[in-house]
């Protein structure tokens, strides 16, 4: 899910988890205790401290929100009538966002810790829909402002300068606005145009008969217990499951192709109604990119993908060495050295190592991180249990203390990594809050790159502070698996997605055979496995974000390159980098991302060297890994 000024929870993580399912959890019957029974009560949210004393109080306070909404509605048709009106409308919109988030985040968190509380989820969504519907006139009227009017308004009312960027963004969309009647019609028809494909895709996945694999511990469900199977010590189990899984995907390929082709076609048509060349161009426009720039970026990533293939070869050879297998297959990549299981973390170890790894980011960062991670503050809710939302996310907004939720912290590397990632979002929210960032500028397109950088620092810290050589190696691998190689994992997804939309537009992509051929061609540029395992041509069915949130994968491509760039600058000149980096995090998104990167870190987002610099960081790390493997 996108994270923008109006979305405070970062849920997109679920998607990327599926994509980067390279880490595998240990088998279930272990005795490791991540959170002791005595600690359990501490790791629950204290919602009454940060939100409302009770659900009744939350309901009562909704009247304040409605009052603000009515006050705002009084400006309907008069938003840009005077500089005073304009300023007042923008301030009221901001207040409304703050009030709305307090209610919706509270209701969402209540549901996350108890998914039986469907009423809270429903009410939160209903408030969101109401606010969006009744404030749509603001966007419409802001779009109608000319550059000249804006300049005049700012001259008369200098406080409007703070809102310049957000108004400019509305104006920017003016060329893509549709007449009101058409707009309303497409809005009403949306469920039939673009909203059914993801649901159908999910339904098809859910009804597929993937089957089970037989193991000494009983039968395992190929789809539902996918991660457990991937890590299974019995090689024949892993192989059988891989084949059954892809057979399952293939069994619905005709309908899955129907879904994807219709999705691309519908979105291309809608984009053209909005005067964009196609859906890709529209999506890139939202993030201040042009299609040419993205095509160039993806081409550069593709050209550098040899480093990823080399990494895959090095890993495969290492697995061969420790397992004694004649040939290594994709289902063997989870094999660990005998007697050295994947490291686990107690919650204290996770908190302490994340704290130590990110401490170099300076006292302001450290203070916010410490407060978030201190269980006494009731900002973490991570104890496994029934009826909890899946995955992990952080939440927070202007004037709202940020929190972190995880469906279950049981001590795996992945669970601790999610904490490292999401804690960055939570800390950034606090930094922006301390800096007085306006609600309209909360978040922004650089958001993910910061969290990925934290993941790199954490993996780095763990490998550097580990005495045991095998565990050290594991953490070195996690530098790549975590986010170091994300450009090359999300890269083919972004390339494939763009190619699907182009192909559909030209009438060249019509069915599952076309998608298989395209998928194999694209993925072969990025990975060593498609040539070896014919099944992987069905991978287009297994890219959740392509159906759920089209073109979102792209964020992980340039976000991953940026995270490595931060890492390079950090090593080069830690003091200077940290000062500028924290200033950037605390700044909020009151300008285009390329402008902010240039201003704060002197990074040129469109410089071709962004990708090659990132690759040089990976080269150096890969040499270390290779050296470790050859010992
Ligand atoms: Zn994130």
């Amino acid at each position: 899910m996108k994270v923008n000024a109006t979305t405070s929870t970062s849920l997109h993580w679920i998607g990327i988890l599926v994509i980067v399912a390279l880490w595998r959890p240990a088998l279930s019957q272990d005795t490791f205790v991540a959170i002791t029974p005595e600690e359990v009560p501490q790791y629950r949210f204290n919602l009454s401290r940060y939100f409302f004393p009770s659900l009744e109080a939350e309901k009562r306070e909704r009247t304040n929100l409605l009052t603000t909404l009515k006050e705002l509605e009084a400006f309907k048709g008069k938003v840009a009538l005077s500089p005073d009106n304009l300023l007042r409308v923008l301030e009221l919109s901001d207040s409304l966002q703050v009030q709305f988030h307090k209610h919706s985040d509270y209701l969402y968190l209540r549901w996350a810790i108890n998914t039986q509380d469907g009423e809270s989820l429903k009410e939160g969504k209903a408030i969101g829909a109401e606010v969006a519907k009744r404030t749509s006139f603001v966007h419409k009227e802001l779009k109608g402002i000319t550059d000249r009017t804006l300049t005049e308004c700012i001259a008369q009312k200098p406080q409007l300068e703070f809102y310049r960027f957000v108004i400019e963004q509305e104006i920017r969309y003016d060329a893509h606005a549709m007449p009101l009647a058409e707009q309303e019609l497409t809005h009403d028809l949306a469920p039939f145009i673009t909203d059914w494909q993801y649901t159908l895709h999910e339904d098809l996945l859910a009804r597929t008969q993937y089957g089970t694999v037989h193991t000494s511990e009983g039968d395992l469900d190929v789809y539902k217990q996918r991660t457990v199977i991937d890590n299974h010590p019995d090689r024949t189990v892993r192989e059988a499951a891989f084949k059954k899984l892809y057979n399952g995907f293939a069994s619905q390929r005709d309908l899955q192709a129907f879904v994807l082709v219709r999705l691309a076609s519908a979105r291309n048509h809608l984009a053209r109604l909005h005067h964009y060349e196609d859906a890709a161009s529209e999506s890139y426009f939202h993030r201040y990119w042009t299609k040419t720039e993205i095509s160039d970026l993806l081409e550069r990533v593709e050209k550098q993908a040899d480093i990823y293939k080399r990494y895959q070869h090095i890993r495969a050879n290492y697995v061969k060495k420790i397992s004694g297998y004649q040939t290594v297959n994709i289902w063997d990549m989870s094999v660990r050295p005998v007697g050295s299981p994947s490291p686990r973390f107690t919650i204290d170890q996770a908190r302490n190592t994340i704290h130590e790894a990110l401490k170099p980011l300076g006292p302001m960062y450290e203070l916010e991180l410490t407060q978030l991670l201190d269980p006494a503050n009731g900002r973490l809710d991570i104890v496994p249990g029934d009826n909890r939302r899946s995955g992990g996310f952080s939440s927070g907004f202007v004037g709202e203390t940020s929190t972190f939720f995880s469906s279950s912290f049981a001590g795996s590397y992945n669970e601790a990594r999610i904490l490292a990632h999401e804690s960055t979002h939570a800390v950034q929210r606090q930094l922006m809050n301390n800096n007085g960032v306006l609600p309209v500028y909360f978040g922004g397109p650089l958001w993910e790159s910061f969290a990925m950088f934290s993941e790199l620092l954490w993996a780095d810290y763990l490998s550097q502070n580990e005495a045991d050589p095998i565990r050290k190696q594991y953490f070195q691998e996690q530098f790549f698996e975590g986010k170091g190689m994300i450009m090359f994992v999300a890269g083919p997804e972004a390339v494939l997605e763009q190619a699907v939309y182009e192909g559909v537009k030209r009438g060249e992509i019509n069915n599952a055979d076309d998608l298989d051929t395209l998928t194999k061609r694209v993925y072969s540029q990025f990975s060593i496995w498609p040539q070896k395992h014919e099944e992987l041509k069905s991978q287009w069915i297994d890219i959740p974000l392509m159906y759920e949130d089209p073109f979102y994968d792209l964020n992980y491509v340039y976000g991953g390159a940026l995270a490595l760039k931060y890492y390079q600058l950090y090593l080069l000149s830690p003091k200077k980098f940290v000062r500028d980096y924290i200033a950037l995090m605390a700044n909020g998104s009151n300008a285009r991302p390329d402008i902010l990167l240039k201003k704060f870190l002197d990074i040129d987002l469109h410089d071709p060297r962004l990708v090659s610099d990132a690759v040089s960081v990976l080269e150096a790390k890969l040499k270390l890994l290779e050296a470790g493997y050859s010992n």
Side-chain angles (χ1 to χ4, degrees), residues 339-352:
S340 178
S342 305
R344 306 288 293 270
F345 300 83
T346 65
I347 183 60
D348 284 347
Q349 286 168 338
R351 286 172 45 225
N352 291 339

Side-chain angles (χ1 to χ4, degrees), residues 201 204-205 252-260 540-541 547:
H201 166 73
L204 289 170
L205 285 179
Q252 306 289 330
R253 63 198 288 274
D254 53 344
L255 289 175
Q256 291 285 19
F258 172 80
V259 166
L260 185 55
W540 56 269
I541 298 171
Y547 301 85

Side-chain angles (χ1 to χ4, degrees), residues 333-374:
M333 295 312 295
S334 59
V335 171
R336 303 264 319 132
V338 178
S340 178
S342 305
R344 306 288 293 270
F345 300 83
T346 65
I347 183 60
D348 284 347
Q349 286 168 338
R351 286 172 45 225
N352 291 339
T353 54
I354 291 170
H355 178 262
E356 288 305 308
L358 301 179
K359 198 161 90 178
L361 296 179
M364 279 203 302
Y365 194 101
E366 190 187 0
L367 177 69
E368 292 302 341
L369 183 64
T370 309
Q371 289 186 351
L372 173 76
L373 297 179
D374 184 349

Side-chain angles (χ1 to χ4, degrees), residues 70-90:
K70 278 186 191 140
E71 236 182 295
L72 185 59
E73 281 180 317
F75 287 92
K76 211 167 182 173
K78 297 180 274 190
V79 171
L81 214 61
S82 70
D84 282 328
N85 275 17
L86 191 54
L87 182 62
R88 189 71 194 124
V89 163
L90 290 163

Side-chain angles (χ1 to χ4, degrees), residues 12 421-422 425 448:
H12 53 275
H421 178 104
E422 295 296 335
H425 294 324
E448 285 306 333

